[in-house]
Amino acid sequence: MSSPTQAPPRALRIGELAARAGTTPRTIRYYEELGLLGGQGDRDAGRHRLYDEEDVERVAHVLRLKELLGLSLEDLQRVVEAETARAALKREWRTTEDITIRHRILDEALAHIAVQLELVERRQVELEDLAESLRARRALVHRRRGELA
Amino acid sequence: MSSPTQAPPRALRIGELAARAGTTPRTIRYYEELGLLGGQGDRDAGRHRLYDEEDVERVAHVLRLKELLGLSLEDLQRVVEAETARAALKREWRTTEDITIRHRILDEALAHIAVQLELVERRQVELEDLAESLRARRALVHRRRGELA
DNA sequence: TTGCTCCTCACGTCACGTGAGGTGGC
DNA sequence: TTGCTCCTCACGTCACGTGAGGTGGC
């Protein structure tokens, strides 16, 4: 159990955020410029951007979706908006005990996850089709090779 | 069996090639400009580019690889070079009866297919990891929902 | 004080999209 | 002859990469 006054989450600077999320500072700045990181993160006195562990998770997840699904930044915008809404719900969760509200929060989280899963599964089908056609070609060549002997 | 004098393969113009390969004329011209289509296809008297069914297959396959694997045009260049080499081997196949040579041709075809399959399967693993993490999240939310009741 | 990382322009690049103005084939 | 598609510039755009010149924190 964590103590009531938690250690302040280590503040990450843009270089470390980028490295841990598998990208570059330039990309992070560009996304911020487009409003893709929902509220342009805090700055310290020295005007340096500061991030925390949750940002690492969010950016890494969103970049993974982009890369593996081939999403444009416009597509990504919607995913991020949903992620942001989900984070807001997570906070709302902690402020209420109302079972009806909590039920609604969980259902929305499920819907959000379902949307992403569906995109991923669609891609998986496309990749499996491609793999199948390559294996069919391979089988054909193998057969010919057998006929040679 | 086809007669010795085959019907001339219907000559396609760039618009039809693009549509059937799932892209645009601009993209085809750009790839040709980069030398990505191995020898800048024939032109008719009117200076229009002409293609055939084999071009449709090649372009469609190569674009699928690019899209699903997220390859750059530089990456694609290598794939295309291998495809071109494979087409040359296919022609060599018809000019020889030598079993040793035919064996070598088939082995090179197998190696070429294996390279592509490996790239595809690597991507499949990445996508499956992503799908798994989404399903894990979903299970967690589901569990919480069960605890509410 | 010395490095290393950060900052903001701002121009470059990759992979095309999108007219502009003109020619070709059923 | 009339459309439709093609042609070649050439500028625009998206998603960043890459210095240029300067400031900040262990």
Side-chain angles (χ1 to χ4, degrees), chain A residues 2-53:
Chain A
S2 59
S3 63
T5 58
Q6 301 182 308
R10 190 158 87 82
L12 305 175
R13 300 202 311 194
I14 198 168
E16 196 165 357
L17 168 71
R20 293 189 46 197
T23 185
T24 67
R26 171 63 172 134
T27 296
I28 303 293
R29 290 193 197 101
Y30 182 55
Y31 286 13
E32 182 193 306
E33 189 185 329
L34 297 184
L36 238 161
L37 299 186
Q40 57 266 44
D42 300 339
R43 303 275 183 128
D44 59 12
R47 310 274 70 208
H48 287 182
R49 293 169 183 82
L50 291 178
Y51 306 90
D52 61 16
E53 297 294 328

Short mmCIF file of all heavy atoms in Angstrom, two decimals, chain A residues 2-53:
data_model
loop_
_atom_site.label_atom_id
_atom_site.label_comp_id
_atom_site.label_asym_id
_atom_site.label_seq_id
_atom_site.Cartn_x
_atom_site.Cartn_y
_atom_site.Cartn_z
N SER A 2 0.48 2.19 -0.77
CA SER A 2 1.28 3.42 -0.83
C SER A 2 0.87 4.37 0.29
O SER A 2 -0.29 4.42 0.69
CB SER A 2 1.09 4.10 -2.19
OG SER A 2 -0.28 4.40 -2.38
N SER A 3 1.82 5.12 0.78
CA SER A 3 1.51 6.08 1.83
C SER A 3 0.71 7.22 1.25
O SER A 3 0.75 7.47 0.05
CB SER A 3 2.82 6.61 2.43
OG SER A 3 3.54 7.30 1.44
N PRO A 4 -0.04 7.93 2.09
CA PRO A 4 -0.90 9.01 1.59
C PRO A 4 -0.12 10.07 0.81
O PRO A 4 -0.57 10.52 -0.23
CB PRO A 4 -1.53 9.59 2.85
CG PRO A 4 -0.76 9.02 4.00
CD PRO A 4 -0.16 7.76 3.53
N THR A 5 1.05 10.45 1.33
CA THR A 5 1.84 11.42 0.58
C THR A 5 2.85 10.64 -0.25
O THR A 5 3.89 10.23 0.22
CB THR A 5 2.61 12.37 1.52
OG1 THR A 5 3.44 11.57 2.37
CG2 THR A 5 1.68 13.18 2.37
N GLN A 6 2.48 10.40 -1.52
CA GLN A 6 3.34 9.58 -2.36
C GLN A 6 4.57 10.36 -2.79
O GLN A 6 4.54 11.58 -2.90
CB GLN A 6 2.59 9.15 -3.61
CG GLN A 6 1.34 8.35 -3.26
CD GLN A 6 0.61 7.88 -4.48
OE1 GLN A 6 0.33 8.67 -5.37
NE2 GLN A 6 0.32 6.60 -4.53
N ALA A 7 5.64 9.62 -3.07
CA ALA A 7 6.82 10.26 -3.63
C ALA A 7 6.37 10.92 -4.94
O ALA A 7 5.62 10.33 -5.70
CB ALA A 7 7.91 9.23 -3.91
N PRO A 8 6.83 12.15 -5.18
CA PRO A 8 6.42 12.82 -6.41
C PRO A 8 6.91 12.00 -7.59
O PRO A 8 8.06 11.56 -7.61
CB PRO A 8 7.16 14.17 -6.35
CG PRO A 8 8.30 13.95 -5.41
CD PRO A 8 7.84 12.92 -4.44
N PRO A 9 6.03 11.73 -8.57
CA PRO A 9 6.46 10.91 -9.71
C PRO A 9 7.62 11.60 -10.39
O PRO A 9 7.57 12.78 -10.68
CB PRO A 9 5.23 10.90 -10.61
CG PRO A 9 4.39 12.06 -10.18
CD PRO A 9 4.72 12.31 -8.76
N ARG A 10 8.67 10.84 -10.61
CA ARG A 10 9.86 11.40 -11.20
C ARG A 10 9.52 12.15 -12.48
O ARG A 10 8.89 11.63 -13.38
CB ARG A 10 10.84 10.28 -11.53
CG ARG A 10 12.21 10.75 -11.94
CD ARG A 10 13.22 9.65 -11.71
NE ARG A 10 13.35 8.74 -12.83
CZ ARG A 10 14.11 9.01 -13.90
NH1 ARG A 10 14.75 10.15 -13.96
NH2 ARG A 10 14.21 8.14 -14.87
N ALA A 11 9.90 13.41 -12.55
CA ALA A 11 9.61 14.22 -13.74
C ALA A 11 10.60 13.88 -14.84
O ALA A 11 11.81 14.01 -14.67
CB ALA A 11 9.68 15.69 -13.38
N LEU A 12 10.07 13.46 -15.97
CA LEU A 12 10.90 13.12 -17.12
C LEU A 12 11.00 14.30 -18.06
O LEU A 12 10.03 15.04 -18.22
CB LEU A 12 10.29 11.94 -17.88
CG LEU A 12 10.01 10.69 -17.07
CD1 LEU A 12 9.31 9.66 -17.92
CD2 LEU A 12 11.29 10.13 -16.49
N ARG A 13 12.15 14.45 -18.68
CA ARG A 13 12.27 15.48 -19.71
C ARG A 13 12.02 14.83 -21.07
O ARG A 13 11.93 13.61 -21.18
CB ARG A 13 13.65 16.13 -19.61
CG ARG A 13 13.81 16.77 -18.23
CD ARG A 13 14.84 17.86 -18.17
NE ARG A 13 16.10 17.44 -18.77
CZ ARG A 13 17.24 18.11 -18.60
NH1 ARG A 13 17.26 19.20 -17.84
NH2 ARG A 13 18.34 17.71 -19.18
N ILE A 14 11.93 15.67 -22.07
CA ILE A 14 11.45 15.18 -23.37
C ILE A 14 12.31 14.08 -23.97
O ILE A 14 11.79 13.14 -24.60
CB ILE A 14 11.29 16.36 -24.36
CG1 ILE A 14 10.39 15.96 -25.52
CG2 ILE A 14 12.66 16.87 -24.82
CD1 ILE A 14 9.97 17.12 -26.39
N GLY A 15 13.63 14.16 -23.74
CA GLY A 15 14.52 13.15 -24.30
C GLY A 15 14.26 11.78 -23.73
O GLY A 15 14.25 10.78 -24.46
N GLU A 16 14.04 11.74 -22.41
CA GLU A 16 13.82 10.44 -21.78
C GLU A 16 12.43 9.90 -22.14
O GLU A 16 12.27 8.70 -22.39
CB GLU A 16 13.96 10.57 -20.26
CG GLU A 16 14.12 9.21 -19.60
CD GLU A 16 14.63 9.31 -18.18
OE1 GLU A 16 14.92 10.45 -17.72
OE2 GLU A 16 14.72 8.26 -17.51
N LEU A 17 11.44 10.78 -22.18
CA LEU A 17 10.11 10.35 -22.61
C LEU A 17 10.19 9.73 -23.99
O LEU A 17 9.70 8.62 -24.23
CB LEU A 17 9.14 11.54 -22.64
CG LEU A 17 7.80 11.25 -23.35
CD1 LEU A 17 6.93 10.31 -22.52
CD2 LEU A 17 7.05 12.53 -23.67
N ALA A 18 10.84 10.44 -24.91
CA ALA A 18 10.93 9.99 -26.30
C ALA A 18 11.63 8.63 -26.38
O ALA A 18 11.13 7.70 -27.01
CB ALA A 18 11.67 11.02 -27.15
N ALA A 19 12.77 8.52 -25.70
CA ALA A 19 13.55 7.27 -25.75
C ALA A 19 12.70 6.11 -25.23
O ALA A 19 12.65 5.04 -25.84
CB ALA A 19 14.82 7.42 -24.94
N ARG A 20 12.02 6.35 -24.09
CA ARG A 20 11.26 5.25 -23.50
C ARG A 20 10.01 4.91 -24.29
O ARG A 20 9.51 3.79 -24.21
CB ARG A 20 10.93 5.59 -22.05
CG ARG A 20 12.21 5.62 -21.19
CD ARG A 20 11.93 5.72 -19.72
NE ARG A 20 10.90 4.81 -19.27
CZ ARG A 20 10.27 4.92 -18.12
NH1 ARG A 20 10.58 5.93 -17.31
NH2 ARG A 20 9.35 4.06 -17.77
N ALA A 21 9.51 5.88 -25.06
CA ALA A 21 8.32 5.60 -25.87
C ALA A 21 8.72 5.15 -27.28
O ALA A 21 7.87 4.89 -28.12
CB ALA A 21 7.43 6.84 -25.93
N GLY A 22 10.03 5.10 -27.52
CA GLY A 22 10.50 4.64 -28.82
C GLY A 22 10.35 5.64 -29.94
O GLY A 22 10.02 5.29 -31.07
N THR A 23 10.62 6.92 -29.65
CA THR A 23 10.54 7.93 -30.70
C THR A 23 11.57 9.02 -30.44
O THR A 23 12.53 8.79 -29.71
CB THR A 23 9.12 8.51 -30.81
OG1 THR A 23 9.06 9.40 -31.91
CG2 THR A 23 8.71 9.23 -29.54
N THR A 24 11.39 10.20 -31.04
CA THR A 24 12.35 11.29 -30.90
C THR A 24 11.69 12.52 -30.27
O THR A 24 10.46 12.68 -30.36
CB THR A 24 12.88 11.73 -32.28
OG1 THR A 24 11.82 12.33 -33.01
CG2 THR A 24 13.44 10.54 -33.04
N PRO A 25 12.50 13.39 -29.67
CA PRO A 25 11.94 14.63 -29.12
C PRO A 25 11.17 15.44 -30.17
O PRO A 25 10.13 16.01 -29.88
CB PRO A 25 13.19 15.39 -28.66
CG PRO A 25 14.17 14.33 -28.34
CD PRO A 25 13.93 13.24 -29.35
N ARG A 26 11.71 15.49 -31.37
CA ARG A 26 11.06 16.24 -32.43
C ARG A 26 9.62 15.78 -32.65
O ARG A 26 8.71 16.58 -32.83
CB ARG A 26 11.85 16.09 -33.72
CG ARG A 26 11.19 16.64 -34.96
CD ARG A 26 10.98 18.15 -34.85
NE ARG A 26 10.51 18.71 -36.10
CZ ARG A 26 9.51 19.57 -36.19
NH1 ARG A 26 8.88 19.97 -35.11
NH2 ARG A 26 9.14 20.04 -37.35
N THR A 27 9.43 14.48 -32.64
CA THR A 27 8.09 13.93 -32.83
C THR A 27 7.17 14.35 -31.69
O THR A 27 6.02 14.75 -31.92
CB THR A 27 8.17 12.39 -32.93
OG1 THR A 27 8.91 12.06 -34.09
CG2 THR A 27 6.79 11.78 -33.02
N ILE A 28 7.68 14.29 -30.45
CA ILE A 28 6.88 14.69 -29.31
C ILE A 28 6.47 16.16 -29.43
O ILE A 28 5.30 16.52 -29.23
CB ILE A 28 7.66 14.50 -27.99
CG1 ILE A 28 8.11 13.04 -27.83
CG2 ILE A 28 6.81 14.93 -26.79
CD1 ILE A 28 6.99 12.07 -27.62
N ARG A 29 7.42 17.00 -29.80
CA ARG A 29 7.11 18.43 -29.96
C ARG A 29 6.10 18.66 -31.06
O ARG A 29 5.20 19.48 -30.94
CB ARG A 29 8.38 19.22 -30.28
CG ARG A 29 9.34 19.32 -29.11
CD ARG A 29 10.43 20.37 -29.35
NE ARG A 29 11.55 20.17 -28.43
CZ ARG A 29 12.70 19.59 -28.77
NH1 ARG A 29 12.89 19.17 -30.02
NH2 ARG A 29 13.65 19.43 -27.88
N TYR A 30 6.26 17.91 -32.15
CA TYR A 30 5.34 18.05 -33.28
C TYR A 30 3.93 17.64 -32.86
O TYR A 30 2.94 18.32 -33.18
CB TYR A 30 5.82 17.20 -34.45
CG TYR A 30 4.96 17.30 -35.68
CD1 TYR A 30 4.70 18.54 -36.26
CD2 TYR A 30 4.42 16.17 -36.27
CE1 TYR A 30 3.92 18.63 -37.40
CE2 TYR A 30 3.65 16.25 -37.41
CZ TYR A 30 3.40 17.49 -37.97
OH TYR A 30 2.63 17.57 -39.10
N TYR A 31 3.81 16.57 -32.13
CA TYR A 31 2.50 16.11 -31.68
C TYR A 31 1.87 17.13 -30.73
O TYR A 31 0.68 17.38 -30.77
CB TYR A 31 2.62 14.75 -30.99
CG TYR A 31 2.85 13.59 -31.94
CD1 TYR A 31 3.20 13.82 -33.28
CD2 TYR A 31 2.73 12.28 -31.53
CE1 TYR A 31 3.42 12.78 -34.16
CE2 TYR A 31 2.94 11.22 -32.41
CZ TYR A 31 3.29 11.48 -33.72
OH TYR A 31 3.51 10.43 -34.58
N GLU A 32 2.71 17.70 -29.88
CA GLU A 32 2.19 18.71 -28.97
C GLU A 32 1.67 19.91 -29.75
O GLU A 32 0.61 20.44 -29.47
CB GLU A 32 3.30 19.17 -28.01
CG GLU A 32 2.80 20.20 -27.00
CD GLU A 32 3.96 20.87 -26.27
OE1 GLU A 32 4.79 20.16 -25.70
OE2 GLU A 32 4.01 22.13 -26.29
N GLU A 33 2.43 20.29 -30.79
CA GLU A 33 2.06 21.41 -31.64
C GLU A 33 0.69 21.16 -32.28
O GLU A 33 -0.11 22.09 -32.44
CB GLU A 33 3.13 21.56 -32.73
CG GLU A 33 3.02 22.82 -33.57
CD GLU A 33 4.06 22.79 -34.70
OE1 GLU A 33 5.14 22.20 -34.49
OE2 GLU A 33 3.77 23.33 -35.78
N LEU A 34 0.42 19.92 -32.63
CA LEU A 34 -0.87 19.57 -33.24
C LEU A 34 -1.97 19.38 -32.20
O LEU A 34 -3.10 19.09 -32.54
CB LEU A 34 -0.73 18.27 -34.05
CG LEU A 34 0.23 18.29 -35.24
CD1 LEU A 34 0.15 16.96 -35.98
CD2 LEU A 34 -0.10 19.45 -36.18
N GLY A 35 -1.61 19.50 -30.92
CA GLY A 35 -2.60 19.29 -29.88
C GLY A 35 -2.89 17.81 -29.67
O GLY A 35 -3.93 17.43 -29.14
N LEU A 36 -1.94 16.97 -30.09
CA LEU A 36 -2.15 15.54 -30.02
C LEU A 36 -1.87 14.97 -28.63
O LEU A 36 -2.17 13.82 -28.35
CB LEU A 36 -1.26 14.85 -31.04
CG LEU A 36 -1.95 13.99 -32.07
CD1 LEU A 36 -1.05 13.75 -33.25
CD2 LEU A 36 -2.40 12.68 -31.49
N LEU A 37 -1.26 15.77 -27.79
CA LEU A 37 -0.95 15.24 -26.46
C LEU A 37 -1.85 15.84 -25.40
O LEU A 37 -1.50 15.89 -24.22
CB LEU A 37 0.53 15.46 -26.13
CG LEU A 37 1.48 14.78 -27.08
CD1 LEU A 37 2.91 14.92 -26.63
CD2 LEU A 37 1.13 13.30 -27.22
N GLY A 38 -3.02 16.28 -25.84
CA GLY A 38 -4.05 16.76 -24.92
C GLY A 38 -3.54 17.69 -23.83
O GLY A 38 -3.21 17.23 -22.75
N GLY A 39 -3.52 19.00 -24.09
CA GLY A 39 -3.02 19.93 -23.07
C GLY A 39 -1.53 19.85 -23.02
O GLY A 39 -0.97 18.85 -22.60
N GLN A 40 -0.86 20.89 -23.47
CA GLN A 40 0.59 20.78 -23.72
C GLN A 40 1.41 20.71 -22.43
O GLN A 40 2.08 21.65 -22.05
CB GLN A 40 1.11 21.91 -24.61
CG GLN A 40 0.85 23.32 -24.10
CD GLN A 40 -0.43 23.89 -24.66
OE1 GLN A 40 -1.44 23.21 -24.72
NE2 GLN A 40 -0.38 25.14 -25.06
N GLY A 41 1.42 19.56 -21.81
CA GLY A 41 2.20 19.23 -20.62
C GLY A 41 2.80 20.42 -19.85
O GLY A 41 2.91 21.51 -20.39
N ASP A 42 3.16 20.17 -18.64
CA ASP A 42 3.74 21.21 -17.79
C ASP A 42 5.13 21.60 -18.28
O ASP A 42 5.78 20.88 -19.02
CB ASP A 42 3.87 20.69 -16.36
CG ASP A 42 2.50 20.31 -15.82
OD1 ASP A 42 1.49 20.83 -16.36
OD2 ASP A 42 2.44 19.50 -14.88
N ARG A 43 5.55 22.75 -17.83
CA ARG A 43 6.92 23.18 -18.06
C ARG A 43 7.50 23.48 -16.68
O ARG A 43 6.77 23.89 -15.77
CB ARG A 43 6.96 24.48 -18.88
CG ARG A 43 6.27 24.38 -20.22
CD ARG A 43 7.21 23.82 -21.27
NE ARG A 43 6.59 23.79 -22.58
CZ ARG A 43 7.13 24.31 -23.67
NH1 ARG A 43 8.30 24.91 -23.61
NH2 ARG A 43 6.54 24.21 -24.84
N ASP A 44 8.80 23.33 -16.54
CA ASP A 44 9.40 23.75 -15.28
C ASP A 44 9.82 25.21 -15.44
O ASP A 44 9.54 25.84 -16.47
CB ASP A 44 10.60 22.86 -14.91
CG ASP A 44 11.68 22.89 -15.97
OD1 ASP A 44 11.59 23.76 -16.87
OD2 ASP A 44 12.58 22.05 -15.92
N ALA A 45 10.46 25.74 -14.42
CA ALA A 45 10.83 27.15 -14.44
C ALA A 45 11.70 27.46 -15.64
O ALA A 45 11.63 28.54 -16.22
CB ALA A 45 11.57 27.52 -13.16
N GLY A 46 12.53 26.49 -16.02
CA GLY A 46 13.44 26.69 -17.14
C GLY A 46 12.79 26.50 -18.49
O GLY A 46 13.47 26.39 -19.49
N ARG A 47 11.45 26.42 -18.49
CA ARG A 47 10.71 26.28 -19.74
C ARG A 47 10.89 24.91 -20.40
O ARG A 47 10.58 24.76 -21.56
CB ARG A 47 11.10 27.37 -20.75
CG ARG A 47 11.09 28.80 -20.23
CD ARG A 47 9.72 29.43 -20.34
NE ARG A 47 8.80 28.82 -19.38
CZ ARG A 47 7.48 28.74 -19.56
NH1 ARG A 47 6.92 29.18 -20.63
NH2 ARG A 47 6.71 28.21 -18.64
N HIS A 48 11.39 23.96 -19.65
CA HIS A 48 11.51 22.61 -20.21
C HIS A 48 10.22 21.84 -19.98
O HIS A 48 9.61 21.95 -18.92
CB HIS A 48 12.68 21.87 -19.55
CG HIS A 48 14.02 22.36 -19.98
ND1 HIS A 48 15.19 21.80 -19.54
CD2 HIS A 48 14.37 23.34 -20.82
CE1 HIS A 48 16.22 22.43 -20.08
NE2 HIS A 48 15.74 23.36 -20.86
N ARG A 49 9.82 21.07 -20.99
CA ARG A 49 8.63 20.25 -20.85
C ARG A 49 8.90 19.13 -19.85
O ARG A 49 9.98 18.55 -19.82
CB ARG A 49 8.24 19.63 -22.19
CG ARG A 49 7.80 20.62 -23.24
CD ARG A 49 7.72 19.93 -24.59
NE ARG A 49 7.35 20.85 -25.66
CZ ARG A 49 8.21 21.64 -26.27
NH1 ARG A 49 9.47 21.64 -25.91
NH2 ARG A 49 7.80 22.44 -27.25
N LEU A 50 7.87 18.81 -19.06
CA LEU A 50 8.02 17.72 -18.09
C LEU A 50 6.92 16.69 -18.25
O LEU A 50 5.77 17.03 -18.49
CB LEU A 50 8.00 18.30 -16.66
CG LEU A 50 9.24 19.15 -16.31
CD1 LEU A 50 9.09 19.71 -14.89
CD2 LEU A 50 10.50 18.30 -16.42
N TYR A 51 7.30 15.43 -18.08
CA TYR A 51 6.35 14.33 -18.25
C TYR A 51 6.48 13.35 -17.10
O TYR A 51 7.42 13.41 -16.33
CB TYR A 51 6.61 13.62 -19.58
CG TYR A 51 6.62 14.55 -20.76
CD1 TYR A 51 7.81 15.16 -21.18
CD2 TYR A 51 5.45 14.83 -21.46
CE1 TYR A 51 7.83 16.02 -22.27
CE2 TYR A 51 5.46 15.69 -22.54
CZ TYR A 51 6.65 16.29 -22.94
OH TYR A 51 6.66 17.15 -24.00
N ASP A 52 5.49 12.43 -17.02
CA ASP A 52 5.59 11.39 -16.00
C ASP A 52 5.38 10.01 -16.62
O ASP A 52 5.24 9.88 -17.85
CB ASP A 52 4.59 11.65 -14.87
CG ASP A 52 3.15 11.64 -15.37
OD1 ASP A 52 2.93 11.13 -16.50
OD2 ASP A 52 2.27 12.14 -14.67
N GLU A 53 5.36 9.01 -15.77
CA GLU A 53 5.26 7.63 -16.25
C GLU A 53 4.00 7.39 -17.08
O GLU A 53 4.00 6.61 -18.04
CB GLU A 53 5.27 6.67 -15.05
CG GLU A 53 6.56 6.70 -14.24
CD GLU A 53 7.76 6.17 -15.03
OE1 GLU A 53 7.56 5.28 -15.88
OE2 GLU A 53 8.88 6.68 -14.81
#
